Amino acid sequence: MLATRIRSWKSVALTTAAVLVGLTAPAVTATPAAATTTAYDSTYYKNAIGKTGTSLKSSLHTIISSQTKLSYSALWEALKVTDQDPNNSNNVKLLYSGISRSKSLNGGDVGDWNREHVWAISHGDLTTSTGPGTDLHHIRPEDVTVNSIRGNKDFDNGGSSFTNSGGSLTDSNSFEPRDAVKGDVARMILYMAVRYEGDDAWADLEPNDSVSNGGNPYMGRLSVLKAWNDEDPPDAFEERRNQVIYDTYQHNRNPFIDHPEWVEAIW
């Protein structure tokens, strides 16, 4: 069962805080992510509640770092469950293209779906050894050709359409996912930045505002990802996926799906 979620508008809290400290609230260009209460706040997130900034990020890192790790080969079967098309149990829903495709068509040929690393594995040399390169929270099914078109590009607005784009766009140095999953992409990237802090064998992953990160352990653009988080709040598909990963596979959660307002609280 999904956690109960209660939302209140964060913009009210921001305005009140600004008055209390004698500051003028900045102009709001997009509706901020709604503040949320979940059934996990008194248990899983209890050590993070009430914190902000680096303190919140550190607490969440400690919480979500306790997880079961999957092998790269195990992702095939896991994705058939986490990304099952709610309208067709024989299919998975592809991330960027939005196509519903048979679960059996997984592989590396044209017309198949494969394992898309939303945090591109070349950004920090994640590899596909068990670790961040096999973390189910940022790996999604996608058409082989579309996956190749995205490549290791950073995320930004703008670009041109392409075959099976589903509304996604790309240009020479960035990729813009379709509107329905922009928030999903943002929350996956920011999950990775909190989960992997360089205190294990892997790189310290961080968002920045660049689209020229190459092999560095950064992904951008942060300003755009924050806007996408606000514009596309978590939906039933994303919430179910988070729950399945928690219950069945990794036993950790993406905190930004449960609390999208924590994006602004940290960054």
Side-chain angles (χ1 to χ4, degrees):
M1 181 178 295
L2 294 180
T4 302
R5 303 166 63 85
I6 303 171
R7 299 182 184 276
S8 61
W9 291 110
K10 183 186 172 193
S11 55
V12 175
L14 286 173
T15 302
T16 302
V19 170
L20 289 174
V21 297
L23 298 174
T24 302
V28 177
T29 57
T31 302
T36 308
T37 302
T38 81
Y40 291 101
D41 290 357
S42 61
T43 54
Y44 188 74
Y45 292 124
K46 65 180 180 180
N47 292 329
I49 299 299
K51 296 179 179 178
T52 60
T54 56
S55 180
L56 175 59
K57 189 180 184 213
S58 177
S59 292
L60 291 176
H61 171 69
T62 299
I63 292 167
I64 67 177
S65 292
S66 177
Q67 69 180 99
T68 299
K69 298 179 176 67
L70 278 67
S71 69
Y72 194 50
S73 60
L75 295 175
W76 287 122
E77 294 305 313
L79 289 170
K80 294 176 184 179
V81 179
T82 59
D83 290 74
Q84 178 174 293
D85 184 344
N87 298 315
N88 186 341
S89 61
N90 294 315
N91 289 7
V92 290
K93 195 70 174 288
L94 307 187
L95 177 63
Y96 304 131
S97 55
I99 293 170
S100 178
R101 183 164 293 170
S102 173
K103 291 177 179 179
S104 66
L105 291 175
N106 63 294
D109 296 328
V110 173
D112 287 344
W113 62 268
N114 61 2
R115 296 158 292 188
E116 154 68 345
H117 292 77
V118 178
W119 185 290
I121 59 175
S122 64
H123 290 235
D125 191 27
L126 305 190
T127 79
T128 56
S129 299
T130 300
T134 68
D135 194 315
L136 195 51
H137 276 296
H138 83 113
I139 298 173
R140 302 288 291 268
E142 187 49 75
D143 174 80
V144 167
T145 303
V146 174
N147 193 342
S148 179
I149 290 170
R150 187 270 159 134
N152 68 348
K153 295 174 182 175
D154 293 272
F155 294 101
D156 198 1
N157 291 314
S160 302
S161 185
F162 50 88
T163 302
N164 289 333
S165 71
S168 297
L169 305 172
T170 192
D171 58 24
S172 63
N173 62 6
S174 70
F175 191 89
E176 177 183 346
R178 60 193 176 99
D179 289 347
V181 297
K182 283 178 174 170
D184 307 48
V185 166
R187 289 179 283 273
M188 285 186 278
I189 292 297
L190 299 176
Y191 161 87
M192 293 292 284
V194 170
R195 170 59 187 87
Y196 299 100
E197 292 278 39
D199 54 1
D200 48 24
W202 305 101
D204 180 3
L205 307 183
E206 293 295 340
N208 65 9
D209 227 46
S210 173
V211 291
S212 302
N213 284 308
N216 294 312
Y218 311 124
M219 286 290 294
R221 295 186 184 269
L222 176 58
S223 57
V224 172
L225 295 172
K226 288 174 63 177
W228 290 352
N229 176 62
D230 291 340
E231 294 163 5
D232 174 37
D235 60 14
F237 185 94
E238 191 179 1
E239 290 173 349
R240 174 192 173 275
R241 190 176 197 278
N242 195 29
Q243 193 69 36
V244 170
I245 293 172
Y246 178 72
D247 289 338
T248 306
Y249 295 104
Q250 296 186 177
H251 311 296
N252 70 339
R253 304 183 68 82
N254 181 332
F256 303 114
I257 297 174
D258 293 322
H259 283 278
E261 75 278 10
W262 279 349
V263 170
E264 186 65 34
I266 294 174
W267 288 283

